[in-house]
Amino acid sequence: MPIEKATFAGGCFWCMVKPFHEQEGIIDVVVGYTGGHTVNPTYKEVCQENTGHYEAVEITFNSDVYPYEKLLQLFWQQIDPTDPGGQFGDRGQSYQTAIFYHSEEQKEQAERSKQELAESGRFSKPIVTPIIPASTFYIGEEYHQDYYKKNPTHYSLYSVGSGRVGFINTHWKKGENDE
């Protein structure tokens, strides 16, 4: 069973867990921080925008069951890849999007996926999500893990109120198959 890691920054990490958790072949999804210059950052430090870290998810998956290409497709469908300033109601560097690759194969697949999205005509603005080498991933505080399960009402209100759900429904019709 080929077990791999994938790391994505898609704005608020609370909203990035559930879509991946729901897929067969996904073994684990944890939230945390990556891409910055401080060791063991806290949520408070990352939110102060001086650590260089992104809020991100690290996904452990069986690539025979759910290949990396499908993870990329699902990732794009959770974000606004044209927004350089953050995601939806969350603004700042820590809420920007990024794909962190763990191998040259992941890098190539991510670059190809980004190019295909750019050429699809789905968005009128350029795709600005960077593709960056993975670095140390610091697991976030326990109260952030599986937030959608621990606080379903707040999670639902937040995901709608932030504008994420509306954007996804507008740009990625529910049930649409883009493969």
Side-chain angles (χ1 to χ4, degrees), residues 58-77:
E58 185 177 74
I59 302 163
T60 305
F61 65 104
N62 177 337
S63 59
D64 277 350
V65 177
Y66 206 90
Y68 187 68
E69 295 94 337
K70 286 183 72 174
L71 285 175
L72 289 165
Q73 181 182 8
L74 185 57
F75 167 72
W76 292 123
Q77 294 177 13

Side-chain angles (χ1 to χ4, degrees), residues 26-66:
I26 303 302
I27 297 163
D28 198 17
V29 182
V30 295
V31 302
Y33 317 103
T34 193
H37 57 271
T38 59
V39 176
N40 291 320
T42 65
Y43 179 70
K44 184 176 180 181
E45 291 168 342
V46 172
C47 288
Q48 291 172 348
E49 298 291 329
N50 57 11
T51 67
H53 285 288
Y54 295 76
E55 284 195 14
V57 292
E58 185 177 74
I59 302 163
T60 305
F61 65 104
N62 177 337
S63 59
D64 277 350
V65 177
Y66 206 90

